[in-house]
Every structure is written in C-alpha cells, then in structure tokens.
Amino acid sequence: MSELLNDILFLPEAASTFAERIDKLHHFVVGTTMVMSTAVGLAALFFFFRYRRRLPAQATEYVVPTLKTEFLFVSVPLVFFLAWFGIGFRDFTWVTTPPKDAMDVYVMGKQWMWKFSYPEGPNGVNVLHVPANRPVRLLITSRDVLHSFYVPAFRIKMDALPGRYTQIWFEATKPGTYQVLCTEYCGLSHSKMLAEVVVLPEEEYENWIKEQRRGRLQDRQDALADNSLVPPVARMVEQGQVLAGTQGCLKCHSVDGSQHIGPTFLGMYDRVEQLEDGQSIRVDEAYITQSMMDPGAHLVAGYQNVMPTYQGKLQGPETAAIVEYIKSLRTPNVREGASEGPAYDAIQ
Amino acid sequence: MTPSSSIAAPGATPAPEEHHDHHPSYLVDGTTIKSWVLTVDHKRIGLMFLFWVLLFFLVGGIFALLIRVELLTPGPTIMDAMTYNRTFTLHGLVMIFLFMIPAIPAVFGNFLLPLMLGAKDVAFPRLNLLSLYIYLGGAFLALWGMLNGGLDTGWTFYTPYSAHTTTTVAPVLFGAFIIGFSSIVTGINFIVTVHTMRAPGITWFKMPLFVWAIYATSCIQVLATPVIGLLLCLVTVENLFGFGMFDPARGGDPVLFQHLFWFYSHPAVYIMVLPAFGVMSEVVAAYSRKNIFGYRAVAYSSLGIAFVGFFAWGHHMFVSGQSTFTGGLFGVLTMLVGVFTAIKVFNWVGTVYKGAVDFKTPFAYFCGFLFFTVFGGMTGIALGTVSLDVPWHDTYFVVAHFHFIMVGATIMAFLAALHYWFPKMFGRTYHEGWGLVSAALIILGFNATFIPQFLLGNNGMPRRYYEYPERFQALNVASTAGASLLAFGFIIIAMYLTYALVYGKASGKNPWRSKGYEWLSESPPPTHNFVGPQPVFPEEPHFYVDPKKAEVPDAV
Ligand code: HEM
Ligand SMILES: [Cu+2]
C-alpha cells in the first residue's frame, strides 16, 4: 500500500529511519487534502449545476451563514492543520536532535563539490561512506557561499553556511548508493554539485575505515580534490593540535587545566559555561566555532574580550580539526579548569 | 443618451454631433499624447499600467518558455549554464516585481476603487501618476542592468553569493528599490482614498470586498516594502564597496539577510494574492447573482491574512540552521494563514448556494481559481508542516506550490478581472465562445505545467538546476508540453481581446446585470466617474434580492 502510494507520488526509495516517518505523514496529508478538496470541489460543481441561471435577471434569496457554520469553517481546517503540524514538529525535533551515540562526519560545501572528513579517519571528496543502521551526525559548513546538503532517499536536507556549523542526523536503513544534491543556488555549476552516500553494512564499513587509516586505498576521487583543502594530516585531532599551536590559540588557552588569558581547553567540550551576561551555555561544536569566528558573542564570565577573530583565517576543515582537538581533551576533572562551570560527566 | 453613444476606440475623436451637455467617456476626453501621459485621471493611469504590466508579462512569459525548453533534456539544450542562470533570474524578477505585485492593484485597483466608492478620483491624483513613472523608471533601470551584464542570483538575491557574484547586481537591486517606492505611494494613496473618499451610504461594511482586499494589501505594502528597500540598499553597498553586513568572511551574517528578505517577501506573496481574492469575491457574487455568503468573514479574513502574513516568514528558513523552536513557531503561524484562506474558500462556495449561476468566462476562471487556491493552499500547509518541508525545501515542489497559489490564483483573477471589467473599461464585449475556450486551455495548460513539478519535487529535483539527472526527464517533458499549451491559451486571449477592443459590440452600461457599485456609472465612465450630483448607495453591493420580497437584511 505505502509502496504503491510512493510510486504514485514519485517518491524516491526510502532509505533512512527519518524517510519512513516522513512518508507516513506525507501520505496522511495528501490523503486528507484530496478528500477535503474533492468534497469542496464536488459541492461547488453540484451548486453550479443545481443553481444555474434560468432567467437573465433572476433574483436570489438573501442567504447568510449562521455563526455555527462559520465556526465549522474555521475549526475543521484548524484541527486538521494543527494535527499535521503536531506530528510534523515532533519528527522535525527528532531529526534536528542527534542521538548522543551518533558517529560524526564533517561536511563542507565548496563551489562546486562536497568534502567529507571523519574525526579519526580519512577525508573524501564527493563520496561519503557511512555504516548502515547507525546514527550519523553531519556537521555541515561551507567554505564560500550558501549550499544545502540534500539526500532525497534519506529525506534530509540542511543548509551549509560559511563560518558556521549546522547539524542534522540520519540513520541509513539499507546498504546502497544514494545521491546527494545541492539545493541552495550557489552559482554557475550549482546543478553539478553532486555527491553520493555509500551505505555499507557494519563490518564492511569497519574494514573500509581500516583500509583508509592504513592509507593504502587511494580514493579514486582524491584526484579531483583541491589539494590545498585536504588536511595534510589524516587524523583531525592531530592536525587540530598542530593548528592550535601555529594559529596562536595556545598562547592564551592552556590544555592542562591551568588558568590563563582564556579558559582552558581541557574538559571544555560539553561543559556548561557561565557567561558574562548572566546566562549559561553548553559548549558544543557550534559554540566553539562561534567563539573562533566571533569571540565576543558569548563571553565567558571572568574573561576579557581580547581574543581576535579567526574569521577568514581558518578554513572549514581547519576549524573542524581544532574543534575535534578540543573535543579530544575531554576530562571528568573539569574543576581544575579555569571556568567556574559546574562539574559534568563525560559522555562516552 | 444611450450608453453606446459614449463608446469609441481609444484615441478616436468624439463624434461631431454630440450634445453640449454630453459627458464624454474618459477614453475620448482628450486625445493628444499629452492628455494621456500627463493625465491625473485614475482610469487612464490604470489603463497605462495595464499596458506596461501586460508588456512585462510577455517578457517574463518568453523567459519562462526559454526555461522550459532548456529543461527539455537533462544536459544543455538551447543555452549555456550562465545564460540559464540569468534567464531564471530575469523571469522571476520580471514576473514578481514588474507583473504580479502591481498587476491587480495598480491596474484594477486604480481603475475601480474610486468607482466602487462613489468618488471622483483617488485621494492624491498627481501622486498616482507619479507612481506610474517611478515604476517605469525602476523597471527600465532593472531591465537595463539585467541585459547589460546580467544577474544570476535568482530573484532572492541570497548573500553571500550576491555579494560575490561578478554579474551586475547594483543597477538591478537599485531598480527594484525604486519600484518599491511606487508600491508604497500607491498603497498610501489607496488607504487614504478608502478612509476619506467614500460616498454617503458606503459604510465600512458596505464596501465591496474588492475594496477590502485592496485596503488590506495596501497596508502590507506600506508596512513591509521599506524593509526590502533598506535591504536592497545594504546588499548594493555590500556588493559595491565590500561592506561586511552579510558576508561571514567579513564578520557578517548571511542568515540575517534571509530574515530581512523574507520579512518583506513573505507578505509580498499576499500583496500578490489578496487582490486576487478580492477580484474573485466580486466575480462569484456577480455571476451567481448572490450576496456574498459570509461578507464579514471574508472581509475580516483579508485583514487576518495581512496580519499573520507578517509572522510567517521563517517558514522559508526551516533548514537554514535556525533553532528548532523557531521552526515550530513559524510553522504554527503558517497554519493560521491557511485557516484564513479556508474561510474564504468556504464562503465563496457558499455564495453559489441558492444563487443563479451564469457560466461566463470570468466564472470559468473562478473555477480554475478555486482549484489552484485549494491545492496551492493545501500544499502550502503541507510545507508548513515542518518535517515535510525538510525534503521539499528548495525543490520543484516549492516551485509548483508557489506557481499554484500565487501565480495560478493571481493569473486566474487577473484574467477574470480583465474579462469581467472589460466592458466597464472599454464599453465593448468580446467573443464569449473564445473566452471559454481559452479559459479551458489556460487552466488545463497550467495544471499540465505544474502538477508534474510537484512530482518532480517529490522525486527530489532541486530548483534552479540547469542540468539534471536522467531520471527527472519524463516529468520535465510533461511540464514543458503543458507550458506550450498555456502559452497557446494566452495567444488566443491576446487575439480576441485586441479584436474586441476595435471591433467588439457595444456592451451597454451593465452587460452582466451586476449589482457591484462600479456598474452604476456609465461604461466606459466619464472623466469624473459620475454625472450629476454625488451618488448615494442605498443597498449593499451585490444585493440581488427581489425588491418586492426584499426584507431589510439584518444579519449583515
Ligand atoms: C508558462 C508559464 C510559466 C512557466 C513554464 C514557468 C516556469 C518556471 C520555472 C521552470 C521556474 C524555475 C526556475 C528554477 O528554479 O530553476 C520558474 C520560476 C519562477 N517563476 Fe515561473 N513559469 C511560468 C509562469 C510564471 C508566472 C506567470 C509567474 C509570475 C507571474 C512566474 C513566477 C516565477 C517565479 C517568481 C519564479 C522563481 C524564480 C527563481 O527561482 O528565481 N512564473 N518558473
Ligand atoms: Cu549549491
């Protein structure tokens, strides 16, 4: 039944857990829409025929709706619309909130290609390998203009914004190869900004990762890559560590918990920081990125607004590498850190 | 005086044997070029707007066909990628800013508002003329820019692309900025006219629903247009001088651009479609000879749409990285627009109930309109259902949706208005048979063009694609075939209406026996609209009750 509906509606194969949810709601919405509008249409047709004009100057009765009729006109659609919205919003919340055990992949849009990097693995251009039946979180950014990462078979899409990370997650249900398209107009070759997601069964994926780490398999796509963008060190954490040194981050931030000009990186990830303006914020990828690009936006209490912006100085993959480096410095003994944030339990 | 004595083709000299007390129609009262280009008569200004708006519609339409032909095959068909990107930008810009926004308000609003209110003219006739020239000035500047260098950003001008592109952004944006002033000036003029120029007897709740719709539209125009004006200036400055408002490489925020852009452009959708709703309220009442079923509900829902229309802009940004909560808020507010539209649809259908339907050309367009509004509206609700928008956003589903609701509904209303008020404007009638044939063609062609695009969107084809994967081809071919049908329909209309303009039979004062107020004056009306003392309006508009049986309606 639902296969048939998908064919009638020209929906592509549904290959993620989110796709299954979306399609169900889609069928419900299309179904009620069809029934409701057919009813309105038939009523109209019936009226056109039943009340056709017989005399050129025919007079008509003065008919006005009762309050009850008008109330029905308002409440029936409202109930349906809110029901759809309720289900839709639940699913939306679900897809924008990655589960904690999700595997991370960095995605960077660039005119006109998609680059993928794994925190502890390889980089790739235009081909993303993921395991089946495991949640994957995409941390998406752009190097130049807006792009939008769209996988029709997974029914997911998220804009790629320069200088920022957005996130979305999915769990692929069927091994196979699925197309990635860019849906935000990005210039001349917008329509050629294609990539693919290769979903592998769990063991195959592990093997693939191992091969990549050994650096033996030369990705066929690597030839296409813009080499200036491929981080020289395969492991992002290591690269991040180097970058944190060369870019001068470590002049102000310690990595051993000691207090300095800025908050220490040790245990920073996932810590709740008290801010200068009295609010608090949980440190995540977005916050770290923002602190690099716009350091004054959320100042941690007790520190001066002295950090320079790294906007334009760091490229997407470099930002990602530093984020990964900071994430690698997780520790339970956050109390030693400079910040007054509450203690936290490391996830893992 | 017989009604037909005042009929003459535009530009013809009045017959010499006219009586001295005869009031010539506005068409022949002054025949020099100067008497047209410097006129302050709202009807002549409306007619001049009609001319330009139709010309720009032709330009936009030609570009639409070029787009469709290009998309006939997956690879390059008739042009290269850059040309294609400029073509869809030109198509979108011309259709939105030069056709759809001014179409109904500037043409029919101008022509009819004073007639429907029993006034001699709009409140500020000279400002009215000025708005025409501002519009033309902006239009030609924008077109000049698009043809000299071209613009490839799409009509949405999203930053940072629009700040980086080497195509000519500045003149086009500045042109659009100037056109905005025309919109604001027209809006203010209409608002003041409605407040101050109503004839004795026309209370707020006896105003024709078309007036209500134009009034609500004008409010949106006056409130929202300054925002886009400001934004266009900022982008121009950013593009020319490298300011960093929206460019993250300079510390700016590209999403801020989107907020500002949609704060105008979402309400702009209602600037296009509310006047269409107004036209249809008149048409359905006139051709079913019935008072509007729920007059107050329809009037209030126009204001309701205008109001909540300001709070729904974020539904264009569900996947732009805005917070999940924000997405939900904008989703709910979007639903409210749907409810207000549903009220209108039900009341239009209710109006036919116990009516006396005369299935003439404008009524055929009403049927098409009903279809496009219901399906366009429903797909809009589906898009507002946050999670469903995730796969659909920026695909052909959205292209089909907005063509259904804003283009489909507006075109239906524009054509219905053109046919319904053709005798009013020119005192002549057109060939009814051709009218119905072309209406059928257009409705059919429109569906054939855009229903495949809904399916393309479902299938995953993104918008603004010059080339596309093979699997999308069949539906694209279907869409292009539909577009040719549509174009054919427009050609037929252009032919028989031009013919009617010159050779059409005299229509008489009120060929439809309509009880809309505007039909109380001659067709075409004399320069000052009404001859003799100020008219009074004892009945509500579209009061078709048999006078012998008429009771004073108490429910309205
Ligand atoms: C024969 C009729 C028409 C056809 C075949 C047609 C076709 C198209 C196509 C294929 C696009 C998508 C371009 C893209 O996203 O790559 C498009 C966009 C658009 N069309 Fe039309 N169109 C038609 C009529 C109209 C009319 C009558 C209007 C307005 C009055 C209109 C307004 C727009 C707008 C605003 C866009 C968005 C442009 C953009 O994405 O930048 N279209 N049209
Ligand atoms: Cu893109």
Side-chain angles (χ1 to χ4, degrees), chain B residues 306-320:
Chain B
F307 184 72
V308 296
F310 275 104
F311 301 97
W313 81 87
H315 65 212
H316 296 271
M317 300 166 62
F318 287 148
V319 296
S320 70

Side-chain angles (χ1 to χ4, degrees), chain B residues 209-432:
Chain B
L209 283 168
F210 181 66
V211 177
W212 268 107
I214 294 289
Y215 181 75
T217 309
S218 301
C219 293
I220 308 181
Q221 279 178 323
V222 170
L223 289 173
T225 316
V227 178
I228 189 107
L230 191 74
L231 180 65
L232 293 177
C233 277
L234 291 178
V235 176
T236 312
V237 169
E238 175 131 351
N239 184 276
L240 288 181
F241 307 112
F243 282 21
M245 249 97 50
F246 308 114
D247 185 354
R250 300 193 178 89
D253 181 359
V255 181
L256 174 65
F257 173 90
Q258 295 180 24
H259 280 292
L260 292 173
F261 180 82
W262 289 113
F263 182 79
Y264 166 79
S265 295
H266 188 72
V269 174
Y270 307 113
I271 296 179
M272 299 174 226
V273 81
L274 270 179
F277 289 172
V279 168
M280 283 309 174
S281 300
E282 297 294 321
V283 166
V284 68
Y287 290 93
S288 47
R289 287 190 79 74
K290 264 286 300 297
N291 62 303
I292 284 285
F293 188 57
Y295 170 94
R296 282 190 185 223
V298 177
Y300 280 133
S301 62
S302 288
L303 293 184
I305 290 177
F307 184 72
V308 296
F310 275 104
F311 301 97
W313 81 87
H315 65 212
H316 296 271
M317 300 166 62
F318 287 148
V319 296
S320 70
Q322 73 180 359
S323 77
T324 305
F325 173 77
T326 316
L329 201 64
F330 283 120
V332 171
L333 290 164
T334 302
M335 299 298 164
L336 297 184
V337 182
V339 172
F340 284 122
T341 310
I343 296 175
K344 285 182 184 283
V345 169
F346 290 135
N347 280 300
W348 287 321
V349 176
T351 301
V352 186
Y353 175 64
K354 296 206 175 169
V357 175
D358 195 10
F359 208 98
K360 288 278 184 353
T361 309
F363 199 81
Y365 284 115
F366 169 73
C367 296
F369 168 85
L370 212 56
F371 182 79
F372 292 133
T373 307
V374 169
F375 276 87
M378 290 294 209
T379 49
I381 294 298
L383 286 166
T385 305
V386 204
S387 71
L388 290 181
D389 184 60
V390 172
W392 278 333
H393 176 75
D394 267 342
T395 65
Y396 264 85
F397 191 92
V398 172
V399 175
H401 156 70
F402 73 65
H403 278 90
F404 254 59
I405 187 78
M406 72 188 211
V407 182
T410 307
I411 298 277
M412 291 297 113
F414 184 79
L415 292 175
L418 201 59
H419 287 82
Y420 175 50
W421 285 304
F422 191 84
K424 184 83 232 160
M425 299 173 109
F426 303 109
R428 296 182 185 269
T429 53
Y430 49 85
H431 192 282
E432 190 59 46

Side-chain angles (χ1 to χ4, degrees), chain B residues 5-47:
Chain B
S5 70
S6 60
I7 290 162
T13 27
E17 68 275 6
E18 290 200 68
H19 315 287
H20 345 278
D21 65 335
H22 176 71
H23 293 264
S25 99
Y26 78 102
L27 287 172
V28 294
D29 186 8
T31 52
T32 57
I33 302 236
K34 201 176 139 208
S35 74
W36 279 89
V37 295
L38 293 181
T39 184
V40 287
D41 181 352
H42 66 100
K43 300 182 288 301
R44 286 192 166 195
I45 295 172
L47 227 52

Side-chain angles (χ1 to χ4, degrees), chain B residues 112-118 202 208 210-211 282 421 517-518 537:
Chain B
L112 296 163
L113 214 60
L115 287 168
M116 287 181 165
L117 295 174
I202 305 190
F210 181 66
V211 177
E282 297 294 321
W421 285 304
Y517 292 156
E518 73 278 20
F537 294 82

Side-chain angles (χ1 to χ4, degrees), chain A residues 15 55 61 74 92 94 198 213 243 254 260 272 294 313 344:
Chain A
L55 298 166
E61 274 177 59
V74 178
F92 182 68
W94 186 74
V198 179
R213 286 211 191 118
L243 277 166
S254 74
H260 203 31
V272 177
D294 184 9
K313 292 183 212 155
Y344 88 118

Side-chain angles (χ1 to χ4, degrees), chain A residues 9-10 12 22 51 53 58 60 62-63 65 70 85 88 96 157 159 164 179 182-183 185 187 190 192 311, chain B residues 85 152 248 253 287 289 293 319 324 328 332 347 356-357 387 390-391 393-394 458 464-465 467 471 540 544 556:
Chain A
L9 294 171
F10 280 79
I22 284 278
Y51 301 112
R53 193 173 303 183
Q58 194 172 343
T60 54
Y62 193 83
V63 189
E70 289 289 9
F85 172 79
T96 49
K157 175 182 297 126
D159 283 2
R164 260 198 220 187
Q179 192 159 42
C182 173
T183 55
Y185 177 72
H190 165 55
K192 285 195 198 152
Q311 185 76 57
Chain B
N85 295 346
D152 71 332
D253 181 359
Y287 290 93
R289 287 190 79 74
F293 188 57
V319 296
T324 305
V332 171
N347 280 300
V357 175
S387 71
V390 172
H393 176 75
D394 267 342
N458 274 353
R464 299 176 176 174
Y465 259 32
E467 290 173 54
R471 70 192 151 103
E540 61 184 85
Y544 296 97
V556 170

